[in-house]
Amino acid sequence: MSINAKACSCFASAVMVMSAFAGNEANPDALELAPLPMPVEFKSDMDRPVPFDSSATVTVQCPDKDAAGWLSRHFAEWYGKDAPKVAAGGADAISASLPEGDEAYAVSADASGVKIAARSLKGVRWAAYSLRQLAVAKRGTFKLEGRILPTLSISDKPHLAFRAVHLCWLPEVRPQQMERAIRLAALLKFNYAIIEPWGMYASEKHPWWHWPNPTMTKDLIHRLVALGRDLGITLIPQINAYGHASASRSCTIKHVALDFSPEHEPLFEPGGWNWCLSNPEAQRVLRELIAEIHEDFGNPPYFHLGCDEAQPPTCPECRKAPYGELVCKHISGLAEFVKSRGARAMMWHDMLLERGDPRWEGFVHCGSKTTATLADTLPKDVIICDWQYSYKDMKEVRKEWPTMGYFKEKGFDVACCPWRNFDTMKPMADYVAKIGGFGFIETTWNRLRGKDWASMYRYACSAAWGTPVRGRSATPVTDSEFANAFRAVGHDMKTTDYIDAGHLNYQLPPSWWIDN
Ligand SMILES: [Zn+2]
């Protein structure tokens, strides 16, 4: 059956997207799988499968001399004895369809073989991840005897260079879940993961600043950083340097320091939610924590300082000076320290917008008149992470995001940060791309589980890449696409525990089986 280009209506978008699936006259119900995120140009015909096994050779054309080796090594890891062979060069035939940009890639698979063209190892990785998501087992056997691909062609590149997930290493989140979240993010072509420790970082310098038995050990961090580097995703550490000093959800009244190490009370405002910004010891401790964790993360080019949802000061020292000046001095000092380590500071936006300002009605804004002055006084190389969650209307699809435009006009790089407001993700990312913004950060908070995890990753990877998500809500075929990617990561981790299968520990709450 020939490729009968049939554009799918769900791809209608301002972004130039050309996706075509072959029609199937014998079985009109049949569908084609697509990779996540949907490529900018994608044609696929599973009625003409091609071998993707040890009989196949994948030719890769890329100036990076490590590209073929990387591909060969990962094919061996993913496919074992069925791994296709890899040959460098020979993809001239498709290099004309390679878009601009160092992350771009082009792929073709047909009777003549599988070909990849890219300008960098980044592009080769994204090509390999697209192929991995599309490869399925050869049909008709009891055991796997190699894989097949549809006849396909892909021409692809992202519209935002910075595409991140923000992951919370809460005490309740097991390290296996964090590793899976990082690996899956890479497979879906995110290139950064911001990790917030939530009292789980095993600091040697300040062991009072973590809960007992922290799981975010140095050895594990080093392993995940190296893993991320290999997979194409850079891990960025976060230390909450202003509010959220408890490293715990406020509704629980837990405090990582004050509960078990009350001798450190002077470092915090009464109650413990904020660091005490007038105490030079707080600045010293924060710098030491930043240095330690930044080094543990391999000194990445960014560092997140948190700074959201802070409360007004109450201590007598912090009351002595104008609050805007105190906060600015504190954050600027830490941003300068981060810069001295060769990185750029990132911070949440909300304290920089005044609560009573009518311009921000309907948007997240937690600041006062004085903290809002920071939009004029903070160093402009701080990246503002504007989190907008559409709290009152999770289905909203607004196209203009004035808070992001505001920070951009003030001279800051700005990243848009949605959460579970899935319908806003694409217009938000498009808006940031339009204003020349910095990038996209998908925040996951306490929802790194279940359907929310699937939807956050599906919608966010598509928005950040610049292509519409396939299907407004999950359908059997799009569920399969996510499940295939999720399961591939489980195989890479060699998971064998029941609770590590799927995106929930249990299918039914264990409490259901307790007779009470
Ligand atoms: Zn204070």
Side-chain angles (χ1 to χ4, degrees):
M1 183 168 292
S2 65
I3 287 186
N4 173 23
K6 188 173 69 173
C8 179
S9 61
C10 61
F11 299 125
S13 162
V15 176
M16 184 63 75
V17 177
M18 293 172 60
S19 302
F21 299 114
N24 186 320
E25 291 164 13
N27 184 352
D29 292 335
L31 295 171
E32 300 264 348
L33 293 174
L36 282 167
M38 176 63 77
V40 173
E41 291 184 30
F42 179 56
K43 291 179 183 172
S44 171
D45 183 359
M46 195 43 121
D47 293 325
R48 295 192 297 159
V50 299
F52 190 59
D53 56 19
S54 58
S55 74
T57 297
V58 176
T59 57
V60 54
Q61 187 176 69
C62 176
D64 190 322
K65 60 179 172 42
D66 296 330
W70 185 92
L71 204 57
S72 182
R73 182 161 52 84
H74 282 277
F75 281 173
E77 179 194 346
W78 300 337
Y79 306 130
K81 66 178 176 49
D82 299 314
K85 291 180 277 296
V86 175
D92 286 328
I94 62 163
S95 58
S97 59
L98 182 61
E100 293 292 311
D102 72 333
E103 292 190 82
Y105 70 93
V107 176
S108 75
D110 56 30
S112 70
V114 180
K115 302 178 186 67
I116 295 172
R119 291 194 184 81
S120 70
L121 179 56
K122 295 176 192 174
V124 171
R125 285 194 187 98
W126 305 147
Y129 297 163
S130 288
L131 291 175
R132 191 177 189 199
Q133 292 184 54
L134 290 167
V136 299
K138 221 184 267 182
R139 302 289 90 190
T141 60
F142 174 57
K143 284 192 171 180
L144 188 76
E145 292 183 9
R147 292 172 180 78
I148 51 174
L149 288 168
T151 288
L152 63 86
S153 67
I154 302 176
S155 176
D156 203 13
K157 66 165 188 172
H159 75 155
L160 289 172
F162 186 94
R163 307 178 302 280
V165 289
H166 172 261
L167 304 171
C168 294
W169 200 307
L170 288 145
E172 290 77 11
V173 176
R174 291 173 302 117
Q176 292 92 330
Q177 289 165 305
M178 293 303 296
E179 179 173 343
R180 195 161 199 166
I182 293 165
R183 285 178 175 271
L184 183 62
L187 185 57
L188 304 189
K189 307 186 181 91
F190 290 101
N191 54 0
Y192 292 91
I194 300 165
I195 313 288
E196 182 178 342
W198 290 80
M200 286 285 98
Y201 172 54
S203 168
E204 288 173 356
K205 189 86 180 170
H206 295 290
W208 52 271
W209 193 71
H210 61 66
W211 295 109
N213 306 312
T215 56
M216 196 175 166
T217 62
K218 289 176 184 289
D219 284 349
L220 181 51
I221 294 170
H222 298 160
R223 184 171 74 75
L224 292 178
V225 166
L227 174 73
R229 190 176 294 125
D230 181 47
L231 296 178
I233 186 165
T234 302
L235 306 193
I236 300 169
Q238 178 175 336
I239 298 284
N240 290 323
Y242 180 16
H244 279 263
S246 61
S248 302
R249 302 180 74 196
S250 60
C251 58
T252 67
I253 323 182
K254 290 179 186 291
H255 198 294
V256 68
L258 297 186
D259 284 342
F260 302 147
S261 306
E263 67 272 23
H264 294 300
E265 183 183 335
L267 296 173
F268 304 93
E269 284 301 288
W273 183 251
N274 287 15
W275 291 91
C276 177
L277 306 191
S278 61
N279 184 348
E281 284 296 283
Q283 178 84 197
R284 178 180 67 83
V285 166
L286 284 166
R287 287 180 185 223
E288 289 175 355
L289 284 170
I290 288 168
E292 185 180 2
I293 199 170
H294 191 235
E295 189 173 332
D296 280 336
F297 274 65
N299 300 311
Y302 304 104
F303 194 101
H304 205 301
L305 294 173
C307 300
D308 56 323
E309 300 177 318
Q311 294 173 355
T314 55
C315 95
E317 285 304 308
C318 287
R319 296 163 74 103
K320 285 180 179 171
Y323 195 47
E325 291 176 20
L326 185 62
V327 178
C328 183
K329 184 178 169 211
H330 177 75
I331 298 176
S332 299
L334 294 176
E336 189 60 36
F337 179 68
V338 167
K339 193 174 178 178
S340 75
R341 297 187 54 84
R344 284 182 73 184
M346 315 179 87
M347 66 178 284
W348 303 120
H349 81 288
D350 48 293
M351 297 305 290
L352 277 51
L353 299 180
E354 184 189 348
R355 273 208 178 89
D357 191 326
R359 289 177 295 174
W360 318 134
E361 184 64 37
F363 299 94
V364 173
H365 53 307
C366 305
S368 66
K369 192 176 281 297
T370 50
T371 64
T373 61
L374 269 63
D376 290 312
T377 54
L378 278 178
K380 299 300 182 192
D381 57 354
V382 174
I383 298 158
I384 305 297
C385 304
D386 191 334
W387 55 283
Q388 296 297 340
Y389 293 170
S390 311
Y391 278 129
K392 290 178 183 169
D393 179 11
M394 298 298 265
K395 298 285 185 193
E396 86 168 344
V397 289
R398 68 166 65 245
K399 291 191 164 39
E400 301 292 318
W401 295 87
T403 58
M404 295 166 199
Y406 170 75
F407 291 118
K408 180 69 182 167
E409 283 174 18
K410 289 283 183 187
F412 292 102
D413 272 339
V414 60
C416 63
C417 314
W419 181 35
R420 294 163 59 223
N421 37 348
F422 310 118
D423 292 338
T424 66
M425 290 182 186
K426 181 73 168 58
M428 210 185 257
D430 288 347
Y431 181 76
V432 161
K434 187 177 79 177
I435 65 172
F438 179 73
F440 184 103
I441 300 170
E442 170 58 26
T443 62
T444 61
W445 299 111
N446 57 342
R447 296 284 179 158
L448 198 67
R449 58 189 169 79
K451 283 275 187 188
D452 275 347
W453 188 358
S455 294
M456 287 187 297
Y457 269 44
R458 280 184 63 235
Y459 280 73
C461 76
S462 305
W465 194 262
T467 52
V469 72
R470 187 182 186 190
R472 188 172 178 282
S473 57
T475 63
V477 69
T478 54
D479 275 351
S480 294
E481 287 165 356
F482 181 81
N484 288 347
F486 196 89
R487 195 162 289 127
V489 168
H491 294 161
D492 292 346
M493 292 174 63
K494 300 182 171 42
T495 53
T496 54
D497 192 325
Y498 171 70
I499 64 172
D500 288 325
H503 49 39
L504 286 167
N505 290 9
Y506 301 100
Q507 298 177 70
L508 305 172
S511 61
W512 286 13
W513 309 102
I514 299 170
D515 186 13
N516 57 1

